Amino acid sequence: MAISINPTAAARVSFDTDPTRYRHWRLTIDGPVATLGMDVQEDAPLVPDYRLKLNSYDLGVDIELADAVQRLRFEHPEVHAVVITSLKERIFCAGANIFMLRGSSHAWKVNFCKYTNETRLAIEDASANSGLKFLAALNGICAGGGYELALACDEIVLVDDSNSAVSLPETPLLGVLPGTGGLTRVVDKRRVRRDLADVFGTLAEGVKGRRAVEWGLVDAVAPASRFAEAVRERAIRLAAQSDRPASGPGIALTPLSVKEHGDAVEYSTVSYVVDRARRVATLVVRAPESAVEATPEAILAAGDRFWPLRAFRELDDAILRLRMHEPEIGTVVLKAEGDPALVCEADAVLLAHREHWLVREVIHFIKRTLKRLDLTARSLFALVEPGNAFAGTLFELALAADRAYMLDDPDRPNTIQLTGMNGGALPMGNGLSRLAARFYGRPDHVNGVLAHTSAFDAAEATAAGLITVAPDEIDWEDEVRQAIEARAALSPDALTGLEANLRFVGPETLETKIFGRLSAWQNWIFQRPNAVGPKGALTCYGSSERAEFDWTRT
Amino acid sequence: MAISINPTAAARVSFDTDPTRYRHWRLTIDGPVATLGMDVQEDAPLVPDYRLKLNSYDLGVDIELADAVQRLRFEHPEVHAVVITSLKERIFCAGANIFMLRGSSHAWKVNFCKYTNETRLAIEDASANSGLKFLAALNGICAGGGYELALACDEIVLVDDSNSAVSLPETPLLGVLPGTGGLTRVVDKRRVRRDLADVFGTLAEGVKGRRAVEWGLVDAVAPASRFAEAVRERAIRLAAQSDRPASGPGIALTPLSVKEHGDAVEYSTVSYVVDRARRVATLVVRAPESAVEATPEAILAAGDRFWPLRAFRELDDAILRLRMHEPEIGTVVLKAEGDPALVCEADAVLLAHREHWLVREVIHFIKRTLKRLDLTARSLFALVEPGNAFAGTLFELALAADRAYMLDDPDRPNTIQLTGMNGGALPMGNGLSRLAARFYGRPDHVNGVLAHTSAFDAAEATAAGLITVAPDEIDWEDEVRQAIEARAALSPDALTGLEANLRFVGPETLETKIFGRLSAWQNWIFQRPNAVGPKGALTCYGSSERAEFDWTRT
C-alpha cells in the first residue's frame, strides 16, 4: 500500500475558493433559506490516488464547505437558515474517504481531522453567535463523517425509506474512532444515552427510522414522499429563530492577495518567512496604516478591506499554510508591527458597533482565527520589540503564545497595551478569555490589568504578568536566540502534548473535549498497529485481507 | 534493549501489603501528624531488570504508598496531617524509574501511569473529603514523578540549599510528558501561569529557591537549618484544619482472603472467572447474607468485615488484577447476586450514618472503587438476571457498565432497585452521579427515577431508561452471547477510545482532564518513534546514543 498523501505531496493545497469554483457543493439561495447540496465529484480528489465515491470527502471537499459557511455569514446576511443535503440519490454522505485516510501520513491524518473539526465548529459558531441555523436533510445513507457533519447542525431530519440509516461505523469497520467530534456530540450535544451510544458506535449498519428518533440520533424522520416538505417546514421554522438582518447586502470576500517568493509569503498586512535550517517561521501582523472606517456604513463600504477583517483573513490563511505546507517548522515567532494607537482605535470601533451584524461577524471571525492559533501544534513565541503593535486584539497573539519575550531597553520605548477587546470578546475554546486563562482563578487580577488603560512598559508588563520575561538590551539577542534554539531541539511530539495541556487550563467544553479527549485518543489509535499496521483494520479495509488484532487492552 | 516488563511477566503483582512488609516507605505517627518517609530500596524492584536508584519508583513502590494512604484513613482516624518526605540525603524523589519505563510494554506503561494517577487522586480525595491533609516536605532534588507526587499534596515546602530544585524534565530529557498529572496540576491546581509552566516544563534542571515560590511551584522554601521546623509548623497548621476524630481507634484492614484455582479467583463476596477462549471475564459481587451492622458502634466492631467495605475492597483488588494480570480479557461481564433487600438495608445504614468518620470512609472508598471501574479500559456489560442483587450501591455497577442487559421473563421475577446511594453519594470523576451522567441534561428524569422507591421490573426499567435492552426468555441467551462475541471481535484500541469518550459525558474536572486530555496525549507519545523508536529519546536516555527526531509536527 502506497503512503502517497503527506504534507509534502499536498503542500500546495490552497484554502482559497469561491462558489464559482466549487467542484463538490452547490450553493443555492431561496429567500431566507440557503441550500448547500453535496455532490462530490468522484474524479476530483485533492491528489489523484483515490476516488471520492459515495459523497465521501477529502480536505478539498471540506475547504469548499468551510468557504460556503463563511461566505453565507459575510456575503448573505439575508440568509437565516441553511439546509445541508445531498444531490445524489440514496446517499447523503459516506464520510471521510477511507482510501485517502489509509494513504495518508500520520501528520496529514491529524491535520485533516483538525481542519474538518474546525469547519464543524464554525457551523455551530454560526448558529450560536450569528443566528445562522443549520438543518441536516439526510436524504440517504449517512455514515461516519457524514453523520458527524449532521451532528454539527441544529437539527437532523432523516428520510424514512427502509434503507437510509445514520451510523458511526469507524470502530467496527476500521478499528478507529469517528474523528470529527462524533462521539462527543452524540452524548454531550444530542444527549444520547451512553449505553445506546455504545451500541450505536459499534453497529456498522447504523440505526434508522423510528428508532433513530427514539434514541435521539435524529430529530425526525419523514417518508420520501413528504421529505422535501418536512425539510422546507423545518428550515423555515429555523430561519424564523434568526436575528440576522431581513435583507442584504452583505460584503464580498474577495480573493486574498498573496505573493510567494522563496520561503517568504506576503499578504497585505500579514507576512511570514521560513527559516528551514532553524525550523522556525517568523510571522508578522501589521497594524493598520491609517484610522480604520468608524461607522457601520463605512465598514460595509470598505468590505473585506476593513483592516480587522483583512488582517485576520490573511492570518487565518497563513496559519493553515504553516500547518499544512510546513510540517517541519516547529516554532512560530509572532510579531506585531506598526502603530498600536491605530489598533486601539480599530478595537474601539469594533466594540462600539459590535451589535451591527457585520461587525459581529468580524469579531467572531477574529475569535475563530485566534482559536485556530490556539490549536496549532507549533510552539508559539511572541517577540515584543520597539515598534511593536501588540495592543488589544493584536496582543491576543502574545496571549496565545506559549511565551512572550519583551525587550527592556530604557533607550528604546517599547510598550504593550490592553483594550476592551481583551476582556472577553475573543474567548478561547474553553470559554475563557486569554487573560482569564493566563490568570486562572485570579479574576481580580484580570480586572486590574484591564483597568490599566494606558500602555505597559517592560517593567510594568513584567510586574503585571503579561509577558514571560523582559531581557535587557545586553541579554536580549542571546536569550531569545537560545530560547528558540533550545525549543527546536526538543521532541516535536512531546511539545505537542505539552502545549495541548498547558494552553487549555480550566473548564473543558464540547469544543475542547473534541480536541483534547477525543482527538488525542484518535491520534493514539491512528498510531496503533491494530489500525495502521500491516494487518490493521484500516489497512485491510476494502481488501480481501481480514484484520488481525493484538488483543492486549491498555 | 530488552523489552522485559510486560503484563505477563509481572502477572503476579500483588496489591496486598501492609506497613510491616513495606520495603520502600517508613510510616511513623506522632500525635495528629504522620510521616511517610520514602526510602526506596534500590535492589527491590518489582522485576529484577532495573535498580531503583535515587528514590525512583516502580509499581511496587506505589502500591505501598497507596496502601499507606488507605490505612491512614481507616486505621488512624487520629492522624490529621501527613508529611511526605524522603529518608535519603539530598534527594526527595527522582520520579518513575526510566529504565523500568523503557523496558515496559505499552500496555504496562499505560496501566502503571493509570495506577499512579489513581494513588495521587486518592491523596487529594483524602484531603478534600476526609480531612486528611498532606504536606510534601522536599528535602532534596524533586524531579518528574517526584514533583507530581508533591503536586498531589495540599502544600509543598522545598529546602533552599542551592542544590534542590523541583523539575518536570520528561520533555527535555525523555521526549515524553510528565505522566502523572503534572502538567494539569501545575496550571489547573497550582495555577502557575501557562507561560511560566511552559518554561518550567522544558527546563531539565528545574526551578529552585525563591523563584519556585514566585512561580507558584512550591508554597515555601526554608534553609536546611530551619527545614524540619518549618515542616513541623506547617504540618500542625494543616492538621488543625482537619475534621477527623481527635482520637482512635480505627479499624484494621486485614489481608483479603482470596483463593485462586485455575482461571477462577474467589474472595468472600466477590469472584471472577476468566474464559480465555472468548476473552471474557465474569465478575460477580454478592449481596450480604444477613443484615449488616446498623450502628456506628457495631460497624466499628465489625471493622473490615462490614459488608460494604469488604465487598468493595475485594472488588477493588479484582479490578486491579484484571487490569494487570489479564491484559487480553477485553470484556468484563458484571453480575450482582443475592438478596437486594439486604443491599438496600446496607445503603440505608450508610446514608443514616454518613457523618460518622468510618462510614464516611467506607462511602468514599466505594466511590473510589467505582471510579477505578469507570477508568478500566475493558468493555463492561452488566447482566441482570433472576436472583440478581442490582440494587442501590450494587446497581452502580450496572450504571458504570457500557451496557446492561435484563431478562424479561414473566415467569421469573427479575427486578432492579434504586436507593438514596444512587443520588449523588458516589460521584464519577466528572462530578456527576452515574444517573446524572446517564440522563445528562435531564435532571427531572433523574429525580423521577430516584422517586420511584420500589423495584423496577424489566418493562419499567426499560421505560425508565435504566437498562439498555430487555430480551425475553426466547431471545435472551442468543442476544447476550452474540453481543459478547461481537464485542470481542472489535479492535481493542478503538474500544478503549470509544469507551473513554462515551463514559465521561458532560463536565471535565482536574481528575477527568488527567485521564482524558493528559493521559491520551501521553499514550500517543508513548507510541511515537520519537520517544520509543530505536533512536527515540526514551530509548537513548542514559546511553551514549543521542536521540534523533522526525521533526514533523502533527
Side-chain angles (χ1 to χ4, degrees):
Chain A
M1 192 198 60
I3 301 295
S4 52
I5 309 170
N6 57 52
T8 311
R12 295 280 77 89
V13 172
S14 168
F15 297 91
D16 185 29
T17 185
D18 68 66
T20 66
R21 290 184 281 162
Y22 291 171
R23 290 162 304 176
H24 307 296
W25 294 89
R26 198 181 313 154
L27 176 60
T28 53
I29 296 176
D30 178 10
V33 176
T35 299
L36 256 173
M38 190 176 200
D39 190 13
V40 176
Q41 299 309 299
E42 254 188 66
D43 53 359
L46 200 61
V47 294
D49 301 290
Y50 51 86
R51 293 175 70 81
L52 295 171
K53 294 192 179 179
L54 299 172
N55 263 2
S56 64
Y57 62 84
D58 66 359
L59 182 67
V61 177
D62 217 67
I63 287 171
E64 293 181 5
L65 173 60
D67 181 78
V69 173
Q70 179 92 318
R71 282 181 194 278
L72 284 167
R73 292 179 79 161
F74 282 101
E75 300 190 343
H76 297 284
E78 78 283 7
V79 168
H80 298 180
V82 184
V83 175
I84 297 185
T85 193
S86 159
L87 303 183
K88 291 195 162 41
E89 292 282 318
R90 301 169 63 80
I91 178 88
F92 172 75
C93 169
N97 188 279
I98 312 301
F99 303 95
M100 175 278 292
L101 277 180
R102 185 159 83 184
S104 300
S105 68
H106 182 71
W108 183 263
K109 280 196 203 81
V110 170
N111 272 299
F112 166 74
C113 289
K114 188 177 285 181
Y115 184 87
T116 56
N117 269 314
E118 289 171 324
T119 303
R120 279 134 200 80
L121 286 163
I123 288 173
E124 291 177 324
D125 181 66
S127 169
N129 298 310
S130 185
L132 184 60
K133 301 295 167 184
F134 287 81
L135 173 64
L138 310 182
N139 54 326
I141 287 170
C142 176
Y147 181 55
E148 293 179 295
L149 174 56
L151 286 168
C153 297
D154 296 283
E155 294 184 6
I156 307 174
V157 186
L158 172 66
V159 68
D160 192 2
D161 63 1
S162 83
N163 179 57
S164 299
V166 296
S167 64
L168 291 177
E170 287 85 347
T171 293
L173 293 188
L174 307 171
V176 300
L177 299 187
T180 324
L183 298 179
T184 311
R185 283 198 181 83
V186 163
V187 290
D188 275 85
K189 180 179 180 180
R190 295 200 61 93
R191 302 182 174 183
V192 173
R193 234 172 57 211
R194 56 166 284 204
D195 56 338
L196 300 176
D198 179 273
V199 174
F200 177 60
T202 56
L203 213 57
E205 67 271 29
V207 174
K208 62 192 172 190
R210 216 48 254 158
R211 176 183 267 192
V213 179
E214 284 165 13
W215 287 17
L217 297 166
V218 306
D219 294 286
V221 289
S225 60
R226 272 208 71 251
F227 189 71
E229 186 191 340
V231 167
R232 179 86 196 149
E233 282 169 13
R234 280 191 175 255
I236 286 170
R237 213 156 55 226
L238 279 170
Q241 299 172 15
S242 180
D243 63 351
R244 305 194 90 202
S247 62
I251 63 161
L253 297 179
T254 60
L256 298 176
S257 93
V258 55
K259 292 196 196 83
E260 301 182 50
H261 22 86
D263 288 332
V265 174
E266 181 89 31
Y267 305 83
S268 76
T269 69
V270 170
S271 62
Y272 69 83
V273 59
V274 168
D275 179 340
R276 287 183 205 289
R278 294 162 68 221
R279 285 181 281 103
V280 173
T282 301
L283 188 150
V284 180
V285 182
R286 285 186 294 280
E289 297 189 353
S290 56
V292 303
E293 295 76 8
T295 66
E297 298 68 33
I299 294 168
L300 267 167
D304 69 357
R305 286 170 293 120
F306 181 52
W307 175 83
L309 177 55
R310 183 159 50 98
F312 279 84
R313 278 184 79 208
E314 293 173 354
L315 177 60
D316 198 51
D317 194 67
I319 293 167
L320 290 171
R321 281 168 177 255
L322 284 167
R323 279 194 196 166
M324 295 288 188
H325 298 183
E326 304 291 353
E328 296 201 351
I329 300 304
T331 305
V332 179
V333 170
L334 298 168
K335 297 186 179 189
E337 292 179 357
D339 184 350
L342 292 171
V343 181
C344 294
E345 279 181 35
D347 278 5
V349 169
L350 292 174
L351 288 168
H353 301 294
R354 63 191 296 177
E355 303 299 325
H356 185 267
W357 78 266
L358 176 56
V359 176
R360 175 171 80 172
E361 288 302 345
V362 171
I363 292 173
H364 285 298
F365 178 70
I366 293 172
K367 175 195 71 182
R368 292 196 301 283
T369 301
L370 289 167
K371 285 184 183 186
R372 257 215 244 272
L373 192 60
D374 294 330
L375 285 170
T376 296
R378 312 298 168 94
S379 299
L380 305 174
F381 283 12
L383 294 192
V384 184
E385 298 167 283
N388 88 77
F390 280 115
T393 292
L394 291 190
F395 189 67
E396 291 288 317
L397 299 173
L399 291 171
D402 299 298
R403 303 183 192 174
Y405 290 82
M406 185 169 183
L407 174 64
D408 184 7
D409 179 350
D411 297 334
R412 301 174 65 201
N414 189 25
T415 62
I416 58 171
Q417 191 159 355
L418 300 179
T419 71
M421 288 296 287
N422 304 112
L426 304 168
M428 299 174 65
N430 60 10
L432 302 180
S433 72
R434 283 178 192 76
L435 277 181
R438 185 174 188 85
F439 304 118
Y440 183 56
R442 297 171 61 198
D444 290 350
H445 189 72
V446 173
N447 293 333
V449 295
L450 283 168
H452 181 121
T453 51
S454 56
F456 294 79
D457 66 20
E460 291 165 332
T462 307
L466 290 168
I467 57 146
T468 312
V469 59
D472 64 22
E473 69 281 14
I474 297 166
D475 293 335
W476 172 259
E477 208 163 313
D478 277 353
E479 185 156 346
V480 167
R481 183 180 47 74
Q482 283 164 10
I484 292 172
E485 282 176 9
R487 194 72 165 194
L490 299 178
S491 160
D493 304 326
L495 286 177
T496 291
L498 180 90
E499 292 155 4
N501 279 283
L502 297 182
R503 289 179 187 172
F504 297 95
V505 69
E508 299 264 12
T509 61
L510 184 138
E511 182 170 339
T512 61
K513 282 176 86 168
I514 287 172
F515 291 113
R517 182 179 280 271
L518 179 60
S519 295
W521 276 115
Q522 173 76 311
N523 293 351
W524 175 72
I525 292 167
F526 273 158
Q527 285 288 127
R528 298 280 288 165
N530 281 343
V532 298
K535 297 281 188 180
L538 188 59
T539 311
C540 292
Y541 179 77
S543 77
S544 57
E545 295 265 7
R546 228 185 121 94
E548 288 177 21
F549 296 131
D550 171 348
W551 295 112
T552 306
R553 274 282 205 146
T554 50
Chain B
M1 191 198 62
I3 300 295
S4 52
I5 309 170
N6 56 54
T8 312
R12 296 278 76 91
V13 172
S14 167
F15 298 91
D16 186 29
T17 185
D18 68 66
T20 65
R21 290 185 282 162
Y22 292 171
R23 289 163 303 175
H24 307 297
W25 294 89
R26 197 179 315 155
L27 175 60
T28 52
I29 296 177
D30 179 9
V33 176
T35 299
L36 257 172
M38 191 176 200
D39 190 13
V40 176
Q41 299 309 300
E42 255 188 63
D43 54 359
L46 200 60
V47 295
D49 301 291
Y50 51 86
R51 292 176 71 81
L52 295 172
K53 295 192 181 179
L54 298 171
N55 262 2
S56 63
Y57 61 85
D58 66 0
L59 183 67
V61 177
D62 217 66
I63 288 171
E64 294 181 4
L65 172 61
D67 182 78
V69 173
Q70 180 92 318
R71 283 183 194 279
L72 284 167
R73 291 180 79 162
F74 282 100
E75 301 190 342
H76 296 285
E78 78 282 7
V79 168
H80 297 179
V82 184
V83 175
I84 298 186
T85 193
S86 160
L87 302 184
K88 291 195 162 37
E89 292 282 316
R90 301 170 63 83
I91 178 88
F92 172 74
C93 170
N97 187 278
I98 310 302
F99 303 96
M100 176 279 292
L101 275 180
R102 185 158 86 183
S104 299
S105 68
H106 183 70
W108 183 263
K109 279 195 202 81
V110 170
N111 271 299
F112 166 74
C113 288
K114 188 177 285 180
Y115 183 87
T116 55
N117 269 313
E118 289 169 326
T119 303
R120 278 131 200 81
L121 285 162
I123 288 173
E124 291 176 324
D125 181 66
S127 169
N129 298 310
S130 186
L132 185 59
K133 302 294 168 185
F134 287 81
L135 172 64
L138 312 183
N139 54 325
I141 287 171
C142 176
Y147 181 55
E148 292 179 294
L149 173 57
L151 285 168
C153 296
D154 295 284
E155 294 183 7
I156 306 174
V157 185
L158 173 65
V159 67
D160 192 1
D161 63 1
S162 84
N163 179 57
S164 299
V166 296
S167 63
L168 291 176
E170 287 85 345
T171 293
L173 292 187
L174 307 170
V176 301
L177 299 186
T180 322
L183 298 178
T184 311
R185 283 199 181 83
V186 164
V187 290
D188 275 86
K189 181 179 180 180
R190 294 199 62 92
R191 301 182 175 182
V192 173
R193 233 171 58 211
R194 54 166 286 204
D195 56 339
L196 300 177
D198 179 273
V199 173
F200 178 60
T202 56
L203 213 56
E205 68 270 29
V207 174
K208 61 191 172 191
R210 213 53 250 155
R211 176 184 267 192
V213 179
E214 284 165 11
W215 287 18
L217 296 165
V218 306
D219 294 287
V221 288
S225 60
R226 272 210 69 250
F227 189 71
E229 184 191 343
V231 167
R232 180 84 196 152
E233 282 170 11
R234 281 192 174 253
I236 286 170
R237 210 154 57 224
L238 279 171
Q241 298 172 16
S242 181
D243 63 351
R244 307 195 88 203
S247 62
I251 63 162
L253 297 179
T254 60
L256 299 176
S257 92
V258 55
K259 293 195 196 82
E260 301 183 50
H261 21 88
D263 289 330
V265 174
E266 183 87 29
Y267 305 83
S268 76
T269 71
V270 171
S271 62
Y272 68 85
V273 58
V274 169
D275 179 341
R276 287 184 205 287
R278 295 162 69 220
R279 285 182 278 103
V280 173
T282 300
L283 189 150
V284 180
V285 182
R286 286 186 294 280
E289 299 190 353
S290 57
V292 303
E293 295 74 9
T295 64
E297 298 68 32
I299 294 168
L300 267 167
D304 68 356
R305 287 171 293 119
F306 182 52
W307 174 84
L309 177 56
R310 183 160 49 99
F312 280 83
R313 278 185 79 207
E314 293 174 355
L315 178 60
D316 198 51
D317 194 67
I319 293 168
L320 290 171
R321 282 168 176 254
L322 284 167
R323 279 192 194 167
M324 296 287 188
H325 298 184
E326 303 291 353
E328 295 202 351
I329 300 303
T331 305
V332 179
V333 171
L334 299 168
K335 298 187 179 188
E337 292 179 356
D339 185 350
L342 292 171
V343 181
C344 294
E345 280 180 35
D347 279 6
V349 169
L350 292 175
L351 287 168
H353 302 293
R354 63 189 300 178
E355 304 299 327
H356 185 267
W357 77 265
L358 176 56
V359 177
R360 174 171 81 172
E361 289 302 344
V362 172
I363 292 174
H364 285 299
F365 178 68
I366 295 172
K367 174 195 74 182
R368 292 196 302 282
T369 301
L370 289 166
K371 285 184 183 184
R372 258 217 242 270
L373 192 59
D374 295 330
L375 284 171
T376 296
R378 311 299 167 95
S379 299
L380 305 174
F381 283 12
L383 295 192
V384 185
E385 298 168 285
N388 88 76
F390 279 116
T393 293
L394 290 191
F395 190 67
E396 291 288 317
L397 299 173
L399 291 170
D402 298 299
R403 302 183 191 175
Y405 290 83
M406 183 169 184
L407 174 64
D408 184 8
D409 179 349
D411 296 335
R412 301 174 66 200
N414 189 27
T415 61
I416 58 171
Q417 191 158 355
L418 300 180
T419 71
M421 287 297 287
N422 304 114
L426 304 167
M428 301 173 62
N430 60 11
L432 302 179
S433 71
R434 283 177 194 76
L435 277 181
R438 185 175 188 84
F439 304 119
Y440 182 57
R442 298 170 60 199
D444 290 349
H445 188 71
V446 173
N447 292 334
V449 296
L450 283 168
H452 181 121
T453 51
S454 57
F456 294 77
D457 67 19
E460 291 165 332
T462 307
L466 289 168
I467 57 144
T468 312
V469 60
D472 63 21
E473 68 281 15
I474 297 166
D475 293 335
W476 172 260
E477 208 162 313
D478 278 353
E479 186 157 345
V480 168
R481 183 180 46 74
Q482 283 165 11
I484 292 172
E485 283 176 10
R487 194 72 166 195
L490 299 178
S491 159
D493 304 326
L495 286 177
T496 291
L498 181 90
E499 292 154 4
N501 279 280
L502 296 181
R503 288 179 188 172
F504 297 94
V505 69
E508 300 263 12
T509 60
L510 183 139
E511 181 169 340
T512 63
K513 284 176 84 168
I514 286 172
F515 291 112
R517 181 180 282 272
L518 179 60
S519 295
W521 277 116
Q522 175 75 311
N523 294 352
W524 174 74
I525 292 166
F526 273 158
Q527 285 287 129
R528 299 278 287 165
N530 280 344
V532 296
K535 297 281 187 179
L538 188 58
T539 311
C540 292
Y541 179 76
S543 77
S544 58
E545 296 265 5
R546 226 184 123 94
E548 289 177 21
F549 296 131
D550 171 349
W551 295 112
T552 305
R553 274 281 206 147
T554 50

Short mmCIF file of all heavy atoms in Angstrom, two decimals, chain A residues 33 38 118 231 263 285 304 367 373 397 470 540:
data_model
loop_
_atom_site.label_atom_id
_atom_site.label_comp_id
_atom_site.label_asym_id
_atom_site.label_seq_id
_atom_site.Cartn_x
_atom_site.Cartn_y
_atom_site.Cartn_z
N VAL A 33 -33.64 31.01 3.14
CA VAL A 33 -33.09 29.65 3.26
C VAL A 33 -32.10 29.36 2.13
O VAL A 33 -32.44 29.48 0.96
CB VAL A 33 -34.22 28.60 3.25
CG1 VAL A 33 -33.64 27.19 3.28
CG2 VAL A 33 -35.17 28.82 4.43
N MET A 38 -24.53 18.65 -1.47
CA MET A 38 -23.25 17.95 -1.59
C MET A 38 -23.31 17.03 -2.80
O MET A 38 -24.22 16.21 -2.93
CB MET A 38 -23.02 17.13 -0.31
CG MET A 38 -21.63 16.54 -0.18
SD MET A 38 -21.46 15.68 1.43
CE MET A 38 -19.66 15.64 1.58
N GLU A 118 -12.65 21.94 12.85
CA GLU A 118 -12.83 23.40 12.90
C GLU A 118 -13.99 23.84 12.02
O GLU A 118 -14.74 24.76 12.37
CB GLU A 118 -11.52 24.08 12.49
CG GLU A 118 -10.45 23.93 13.56
CD GLU A 118 -9.06 24.39 13.12
OE1 GLU A 118 -8.71 24.20 11.92
OE2 GLU A 118 -8.32 24.92 13.95
N VAL A 231 -38.56 19.04 5.28
CA VAL A 231 -37.31 19.81 5.35
C VAL A 231 -37.61 21.29 5.21
O VAL A 231 -37.11 22.13 5.98
CB VAL A 231 -36.33 19.33 4.25
CG1 VAL A 231 -35.17 20.30 4.09
CG2 VAL A 231 -35.83 17.92 4.57
N ASP A 263 11.06 31.38 0.43
CA ASP A 263 10.49 30.98 1.70
C ASP A 263 9.70 32.09 2.37
O ASP A 263 9.39 31.99 3.56
CB ASP A 263 11.61 30.48 2.63
CG ASP A 263 12.15 29.13 2.17
OD1 ASP A 263 11.37 28.38 1.55
OD2 ASP A 263 13.32 28.85 2.42
N VAL A 285 2.21 40.43 11.85
CA VAL A 285 0.93 41.08 11.54
C VAL A 285 1.15 42.58 11.69
O VAL A 285 1.68 43.03 12.71
CB VAL A 285 -0.19 40.61 12.48
CG1 VAL A 285 -1.52 41.26 12.09
CG2 VAL A 285 -0.32 39.09 12.46
N ASP A 304 -14.24 43.80 2.61
CA ASP A 304 -13.15 42.98 3.13
C ASP A 304 -11.82 43.74 3.16
O ASP A 304 -10.80 43.15 3.50
CB ASP A 304 -13.04 41.64 2.41
CG ASP A 304 -12.59 41.80 0.98
OD1 ASP A 304 -12.39 42.94 0.52
OD2 ASP A 304 -12.43 40.76 0.32
N LYS A 367 -12.14 35.86 16.47
CA LYS A 367 -12.16 34.84 17.53
C LYS A 367 -11.82 33.46 16.97
O LYS A 367 -10.99 32.74 17.54
CB LYS A 367 -13.56 34.82 18.17
CG LYS A 367 -13.77 33.72 19.19
CD LYS A 367 -15.25 33.53 19.51
CE LYS A 367 -15.96 32.88 18.32
NZ LYS A 367 -17.41 32.69 18.53
N LEU A 373 -5.20 29.41 16.06
CA LEU A 373 -3.83 29.56 16.55
C LEU A 373 -3.64 28.74 17.82
O LEU A 373 -2.65 28.00 17.96
CB LEU A 373 -3.56 31.04 16.79
CG LEU A 373 -2.12 31.47 17.03
CD1 LEU A 373 -1.23 31.12 15.85
CD2 LEU A 373 -2.04 32.97 17.32
N LEU A 397 -2.43 37.80 20.22
CA LEU A 397 -1.40 36.91 19.65
C LEU A 397 -0.36 36.57 20.70
O LEU A 397 0.10 35.43 20.80
CB LEU A 397 -0.72 37.57 18.45
CG LEU A 397 -1.62 37.94 17.26
CD1 LEU A 397 -0.81 38.74 16.23
CD2 LEU A 397 -2.17 36.67 16.63
N ALA A 470 11.56 39.79 30.36
CA ALA A 470 11.93 41.04 29.68
C ALA A 470 13.45 41.22 29.78
O ALA A 470 13.94 41.94 30.65
CB ALA A 470 11.20 42.22 30.30
N CYS A 540 -6.60 -3.07 6.16
CA CYS A 540 -7.25 -4.18 5.46
C CYS A 540 -8.60 -3.80 4.86
O CYS A 540 -9.14 -4.55 4.04
CB CYS A 540 -7.46 -5.35 6.43
SG CYS A 540 -5.90 -6.11 6.94
#
